[in-house]
Amino acid sequence: MELDGKVAVVTGGTRGVGAGIARALVRAGAQVVVCARRAPEVPRPGTEFVPLDVRDPEAVRRVFADLPRMDVLVNNAGGAPHRLLTAPDAERHARVVELNLVAPLTVSLAAYDHLRRTKGSIVMIGSVSGGRPSPGTAAYGAAKAGLESLARSMAVEWAPDIRVNTLVVGMVRTELSHLHYGDGDGIAAVSRTVPLGRLAEPSDIGAAAVFLASDAAAYISGASLLVHGGGERPAFLDAATANKEL
């Protein structure tokens, strides 16, 4: 298989996209360590769970120092609730940036020596929110834009020992989709806005992560791979009164 004998670490790997990535890495033959603040409700087959808050630099360094080997790091931990910029608790925006940008840098630095020894790779989990306006999640979008830039710089500074790439992820159907898109009707309506006609499944993101971590991507570094089902249909197409067959 693509990753036989390799050790992969997935932050935030106990649910949603992270769990999908962990499952895909296991299927590809990797030994997988998942890190999160809380253990999964049901143990994930083929994975080892390590409790970790990636926003705690000392804890991150301690956990990674204890690992005997690492070939792949997937910086997946992240996310943000809906919060307008002028919300009363606006100071929480800094925490969003901390989780989605500063923490992946902290984790990557802690993993550096391992990955340099194994000629390994880092996969950042970015978002389409980093490349377009993100009203309601502006700090998240800004952090994801920064994460993509960080990955490109890492790819240059750490070459040729470590490859660094970003998965730019679109909308994904997870157990928390209702918080972003509403009930079943809302999810169905949002799905129709995607050119491929559906939200991504965590397995779609997992398959892309396996590709970037594998030798099939041996000459790919500093790249951003769009995994968004074709992107967003331009709003003007629906507003226009001409060319309605589009």
Side-chain angles (χ1 to χ4, degrees):
M1 298 176 73
E2 299 99 323
L3 300 174
D4 274 349
K6 296 188 181 297
V7 177
V9 175
V10 183
T11 66
T14 58
R15 66 182 184 181
V17 170
I21 292 171
R23 286 192 295 269
L25 291 168
V26 169
R27 286 195 298 271
Q31 302 174 48
V32 179
V33 177
V34 295
C35 303
R37 288 181 296 166
R38 291 180 292 273
E41 294 181 2
V42 178
R44 305 290 181 186
T47 69
E48 175 188 352
F49 171 73
V50 175
L52 178 64
D53 184 343
V54 294
R55 296 169 298 184
D56 182 341
E58 287 300 324
V60 168
R61 287 189 284 267
R62 184 168 58 251
V63 165
F64 279 68
D66 287 342
L67 293 175
R69 177 190 174 98
M70 187 191 322
D71 301 270
V72 178
L73 169 63
V74 181
N75 274 310
N76 167 77
H82 185 276
R83 179 178 292 112
L84 297 176
L85 286 170
T86 54
D89 54 354
E91 68 277 0
R92 291 179 179 266
H93 295 307
R95 294 284 282 171
V96 172
V97 175
E98 179 185 23
L99 175 61
N100 291 279
L101 177 57
V102 179
L105 173 57
T106 300
V107 172
S108 298
L109 290 170
Y112 174 78
D113 286 338
H114 285 299
L115 295 173
R116 182 173 55 82
R117 283 192 293 269
T118 59
K119 303 292 185 181
S121 70
I122 297 174
V123 180
M124 303 290 197
I125 303 303
S127 170
V128 294
S129 295
R132 57 153 170 76
S134 298
T137 55
Y140 174 80
K144 289 300 188 181
L147 185 66
E148 198 171 345
S149 175
L150 175 64
R152 289 194 295 267
S153 295
M154 277 184 176
V156 175
E157 284 199 24
W158 293 358
D161 297 323
I162 302 171
R163 293 187 300 107
V164 187
N165 294 291
T166 304
L167 288 181
V168 182
V169 176
M171 296 180 288
V172 186
R173 185 163 189 160
T174 72
E175 59 267 41
L176 299 179
S177 291
H178 63 283
L179 298 178
H180 301 283
Y181 314 124
D183 59 12
D185 289 341
I187 291 172
V190 171
S191 297
R192 289 193 292 271
T193 70
V194 179
L196 287 188
R198 65 176 178 87
L199 304 187
E201 296 294 335
S203 59
D204 295 314
I205 314 306
V210 167
F211 165 67
L212 286 181
S214 74
D215 289 342
Y219 199 64
I220 299 176
S221 192
S224 296
L225 177 60
L226 297 170
V227 189
H228 59 9
E232 298 179 2
R233 176 179 170 83
F236 80 86
L237 290 176
D238 295 318
T241 58
N243 303 315
K244 298 306 291 183
E245 70 275 11
L246 292 176

